[in-house]
Amino acid sequence: MQSFGAELVEHGRDFDEAKEQAIRIASERGLEYAPSFHRDFVIGVATYAHELFSAVDDLDVVYVPIGLGSGICGLIGTRDALGLKTKIVGVVSEAANAYFRSFTAGRVVETNSALTFADGMAVRVPDPTALEVIRKGAERVVEVSDDEIAEAIRNLYTATHNCAEGAGAAALAALCKERSRLQGRRVAAILTGQNIDRVWMQNVLAGITPDVFAVTGRLHGGIAQ
């Protein structure tokens, strides 16, 4: 991002603290804040859902990771628009399970931390609008461990030569975890991204699950050193 001339501000211990700072900066400078969950954004990411449902007929279940909720909401909206019966299962990390808790409780439940190396899912504060869509349209939300996510990254790399970040591999991790209940069913798993740190990828391929505590231990004053 910096090499393309962007001003990069690193702030806070996680996504939610960075989001709050971005909102403050936008207000102070008179900038347009681009939220991570927005109707237009959901419509945009829903195009991959349309591509999936157009390419693969009669899907019984689709597993999709939940960050702030755009991807799963796009899937739900597209499925409903196409009149399909496909069940959609959201996936979160056990270490960042705010959406799992919120889905179960029927209301927004914040968590104190989101210490997972699947940083695309490291959200402590669910979006209320996204949660409403998920509660109405998702079959359920399941949790996976960081070890299971790391194994899914290795499986994707070995079997398909695809590089996946933690959040990108979470859907496959959940599918593998629930494979016994999926026998004879037509299932898809969404691979949402490849933005994994090189050292983390090296560790994962070596059979090691990245230690997010070691990473956060190198933070000082909320700014990455």
Side-chain angles (χ1 to χ4, degrees):
M1 294 168 66
Q2 289 174 310
S3 68
F4 281 108
E7 176 190 355
L8 178 63
V9 179
E10 297 181 81
H11 177 87
R13 62 192 173 99
D14 55 29
F15 165 80
D16 294 282
E17 289 188 3
K19 180 180 71 174
E20 292 171 2
Q21 177 68 359
I23 293 172
R24 284 193 292 268
I25 292 174
S27 177
E28 292 168 358
R29 300 186 187 180
L31 302 174
E32 181 73 21
Y33 171 69
S36 300
F37 183 85
H38 186 277
R39 178 181 181 276
D40 292 342
F41 187 35
V42 173
I43 292 172
V45 297
T47 57
Y48 80 64
H50 187 268
E51 290 177 9
L52 172 63
F53 291 133
S54 298
V56 185
D57 295 327
D58 302 322
L59 279 170
D60 294 306
V61 185
V62 176
Y63 287 84
V64 57
I66 302 176
L68 202 56
S70 296
I72 188 171
C73 289
L75 270 169
I76 290 169
T78 304
R79 176 204 60 190
D80 293 349
L82 295 174
L84 303 175
K85 302 295 185 181
T86 307
K87 294 179 179 179
I88 295 174
V89 178
V91 183
V92 299
S93 167
E94 291 177 352
N97 63 355
Y99 270 99
F100 172 80
R101 295 186 182 187
S102 299
F103 187 89
T104 303
R107 57 181 175 81
V108 171
V109 178
E110 301 180 11
T111 57
N112 294 324
S113 65
L115 293 175
T116 171
F117 87 95
D119 42 8
M121 302 191 298
V123 173
R124 291 184 292 106
V125 185
D127 183 276
T129 303
L131 178 62
E132 182 179 358
V133 174
I134 295 167
R135 290 194 65 242
K136 290 180 179 179
E139 175 74 8
R140 63 188 186 279
V141 176
V142 301
E143 301 172 286
V144 291
S145 69
D146 276 16
D147 285 341
E148 289 167 332
I149 292 171
E151 180 64 16
I153 291 175
R154 287 188 285 270
N155 287 337
L156 282 165
Y157 186 81
T158 301
T160 72
H161 298 289
N162 275 297
C163 172
E165 61 183 87
L172 179 62
L175 188 159
C176 292
K177 186 175 185 177
E178 298 193 341
R179 60 184 177 272
S180 62
R181 67 189 296 172
L182 300 170
Q183 294 297 319
R185 307 181 76 185
R186 198 167 176 82
V187 185
I190 304 297
L191 196 169
T192 55
Q194 300 174 309
N195 187 31
I196 185 170
D197 181 88
R198 181 169 61 183
V199 173
W200 283 3
M201 188 62 170
Q202 289 172 335
N203 287 340
V204 168
L205 294 182
I208 302 168
T209 300
D211 184 359
V212 72
F213 291 97
V215 175
T216 56
R218 292 200 298 271
L219 299 180
H220 174 69
I223 305 296
Q225 299 298 305

